[in-house]
Amino acid sequence: ATPTSPSILPPQRAITLTVWTNQEISGLGDSPGDIALQAQVAAFDQDRSAITIQVRAKSLTGQGSILNYLRAGRAVAPGILPDLILIPGSQLATAASEQLIYPVDGLIEAPALADLYPASAQLVRVDDRLMGYPFALRGLNHFTYQLNVITDTLPATWSALMEQSAGSLLLPAAGPDIGRFLLAYYLAEGGTTVSEANRPALEIPALTAALSLLQAGRQSGLILLRSSNVATLADAWQIFENGEAGMTLVTASQFLNERSQGATAGYGPMPGPTGPIAPVVESWVWAISTPDPARQQAAADLIGWLVATENLGQWSLANLSPPGRRSAFELWPQNDPYIDFLQAELDRARALPATASATFMQALADAAIDVISLQSTPAEAARAAAQAIQP
């Protein structure tokens, strides 16, 4: 069937359910993911005579962002506000604390909750309340490598990687992506992100240990010198694709997109001090933003429809976005080793800590670039990062 844009469906029904999505994950364009979502929303609408759905794409940041509209509109124009929103999990705690969204406890069926990956389940809880349902996961880092550089599997430990692959690894050390990379190693070293006073914090010994791996990689020649001038994962991939690096860092979504365009490369988890380390993931979350019980139920019904195994599987595959629940992969290719690898990584992934604010992640990124560019020792960079978090 030809997908119908939800934004132009007939308005003469009992409830007009307003949904705000965003261009970063699923807008109203003609990409495969957009078309799949529009078709699913239209099918839900057409099967329920008491509901009309209007979908709008909004910004995630700035004055015109979803959360700013919710803050401003409550007092002056509540009638134009959405009932359901799609936001990053990193905004969930703020939205909950300001009562811009409402708990979905009791509105989401138990099987859909039991099917979540561990990190997915953690990412949608705020103060032990279920504040939404994860639509897709993002930011899962892993390594990719040239098949003529590493002809077997990727080494499991950082020391083995240094021995086998000198002068090969390109990292986006000059931009924010290096902060997430370092966070995974910091957590693997046993670091925590909250102080005894329940405030964001970094433990200097654990961060020093994580940074020492980067220092060793740089001094041994594993990490390429030009890493200090590469700012994004996209830039790193371009250099890697040109054959100027043996290995680089990618996200799962990025790797899936590159594969869909014909790229061939090896892949493996990030080697750690004693073995592969768990990646850190974020999520895109459906959250209910209406206080009206009847509209909340209608919004929850739409969530349930969109995250049903078949629908979420179709959308996530079309959008090349790892889904938040396991069963959605039933709709993905079943004899693909990379998909098996991705599912295993999602099973052991860590949730991005709620304390990982922009300031927190910038402190980690600054520490990483200072060590990789040999401007600071690991201990100096760790102290500076901890001070930036808790001045």
Side-chain angles (χ1 to χ4, degrees):
T2 302
T4 301
S5 174
S7 61
I8 59 173
L9 294 176
Q12 304 301 321
R13 296 182 186 172
I15 291 179
T16 298
L17 200 66
T18 302
V19 180
W20 284 2
T21 180
N22 63 82
Q23 297 288 358
E24 286 193 34
I25 181 64
S26 193
L28 301 176
D30 57 1
S31 71
D34 289 347
I35 291 172
L37 183 63
Q38 291 171 37
Q40 290 173 11
V41 171
F44 177 89
D45 179 276
Q46 292 164 4
D47 196 40
R48 291 158 179 80
S49 59
I51 299 176
T52 291
I53 301 177
Q54 295 182 338
V55 180
R56 300 286 186 265
K58 299 291 184 180
S59 174
L60 288 172
T61 59
Q63 194 64 33
S65 69
I66 290 176
L67 295 192
N68 274 343
Y69 267 122
L70 289 176
R71 292 182 185 108
R74 285 284 168 87
V76 297
I80 68 169
L81 295 181
D83 304 291
L84 182 65
I85 58 176
L86 182 61
I87 59 174
S90 58
Q91 295 183 358
L92 210 61
T94 297
S97 68
E98 298 180 23
Q99 298 184 328
L100 302 177
I101 58 175
Y102 298 87
V104 298
D105 299 283
L107 296 174
I108 303 296
E109 294 184 358
L113 298 175
D115 193 35
L116 292 176
Y117 287 105
S120 300
Q122 185 177 346
L123 285 164
V124 291
R125 288 203 168 270
V126 178
D127 295 332
D128 208 32
R129 300 298 303 275
L130 188 65
M131 298 306 301
Y133 192 93
F135 192 44
L137 295 173
R138 61 177 184 151
L140 189 152
N141 283 147
H142 64 79
F143 279 179
T144 184
Y145 56 87
Q146 306 285 4
L147 295 173
N148 63 345
V149 172
I150 298 177
T151 56
D152 199 353
T153 58
L154 192 71
T157 66
W158 191 259
S159 59
L161 189 67
M162 289 192 294
E163 291 175 4
Q164 296 183 21
S165 308
S168 294
L169 177 60
L170 182 73
L171 293 173
D177 293 306
I178 198 66
R180 180 191 296 276
F181 177 76
L182 178 57
L183 176 60
Y185 283 84
Y186 170 72
L187 295 173
E189 293 286 0
T192 61
T193 60
V194 182
S195 68
E196 292 182 358
N198 201 34
R199 298 193 57 186
L202 288 165
E203 298 178 15
I204 292 176
L207 185 54
T208 299
L211 288 165
S212 294
L213 294 177
L214 296 183
Q215 182 189 54
R218 179 70 177 80
Q219 291 178 336
S220 70
L222 167 67
I223 299 175
L224 292 170
L225 173 62
R226 67 187 301 182
S227 295
S228 299
N229 298 316
V230 178
T232 68
L233 290 169
D235 290 341
W237 175 268
Q238 187 62 56
I239 296 169
F240 170 79
E241 190 176 41
N242 291 340
E244 300 172 45
M247 288 182 293
T248 192
L249 184 70
V250 292
T251 66
S253 292
Q254 179 188 12
F255 192 77
L256 286 165
N257 274 283
E258 297 296 347
R259 280 204 332 164
S260 72
Q261 298 175 44
T264 56
Y267 52 84
M270 296 177 290
T274 60
I277 64 169
V280 177
V281 296
E282 296 180 73
S283 63
W284 294 104
V285 179
W286 287 114
I288 293 176
S289 53
T290 174
D292 179 79
R295 305 179 76 83
Q296 286 183 354
Q297 185 60 63
D301 290 346
L302 178 55
I303 293 175
W305 170 258
L306 294 175
V307 303
T309 294
E310 184 174 353
N311 286 335
L312 182 56
Q314 290 175 349
W315 173 83
S316 59
L317 179 58
N319 207 63
L320 297 179
S321 296
R325 61 181 302 187
R326 293 182 177 90
S327 62
F329 274 108
E330 295 173 7
L331 278 292
W332 288 54
Q334 297 300 299
N335 297 307
D336 186 333
Y338 179 73
I339 304 306
D340 295 338
F341 162 77
L342 177 55
Q343 292 180 78
E345 289 294 280
L346 289 170
D347 255 320
R348 68 190 194 93
R350 298 175 186 265
L352 181 75
T355 50
S357 64
T359 300
F360 188 100
M361 297 305 293
Q362 186 61 53
L364 289 175
D366 290 344
I369 184 61
D370 284 349
V371 169
I372 290 174
S373 61
L374 303 180
Q375 298 299 308
S376 298
T377 67
E380 291 169 345
R383 285 194 297 270
Q387 180 68 21
I389 300 300
Q390 283 192 319

